[in-house]
Amino acid sequence: MKYEGRRIERIDFEPADQPLSREELLKALPFRAGDTFHERDLRAAIQNLYASGRFADLAVDATEVRDGVALRFLTEAAYFVGRVVVLGVKSP
């Protein structure tokens, strides 16, 4: 990958409304802004975010900025039904 070994300048998540807090999202990543980018860490980051069960789809857009790279995680939230109650029907 052409960004291997470059400094991570910025990490963003889109859309802004995420199913996890920014703190929780960043905690799932094996890197922070200012760290050196390694492709193996990006794979681990995607696996960690999927493992939360909160995402149906994830993609990462890497963009060259100055002498480093900006990472943008494009997410699609996973929706699920937590509890269903039916009123007016006798239990089986």
Side-chain angles (χ1 to χ4, degrees), residues 11-13 20-33 49 73:
I11 301 170
D12 297 313
F13 296 89
L20 299 172
S21 70
R22 181 159 177 88
E23 180 180 292
E24 291 171 309
L25 292 167
L26 292 174
K27 188 176 179 180
L29 305 181
F31 47 74
R32 302 285 174 263
L49 290 170
F73 287 81

Side-chain angles (χ1 to χ4, degrees), residues 20-87:
L20 299 172
S21 70
R22 181 159 177 88
E23 180 180 292
E24 291 171 309
L25 292 167
L26 292 174
K27 188 176 179 180
L29 305 181
F31 47 74
R32 302 285 174 263
D35 290 351
T36 301
F37 177 81
H38 296 289
E39 191 174 341
R40 69 179 181 274
D41 293 337
L42 183 59
R43 282 193 296 272
I46 292 169
Q47 288 173 344
N48 292 347
L49 290 170
Y50 266 126
S52 74
R54 299 299 190 100
F55 301 100
D57 193 22
L58 279 165
V60 180
D61 177 48
T63 306
E64 187 172 348
V65 291
R66 295 184 292 248
D67 293 329
V69 61
L71 300 176
R72 186 169 51 124
F73 287 81
L74 308 166
T75 67
E76 182 180 321
Y79 297 98
F80 57 92
V81 177
R83 181 172 181 225
V84 176
V85 177
V86 179
L87 300 175

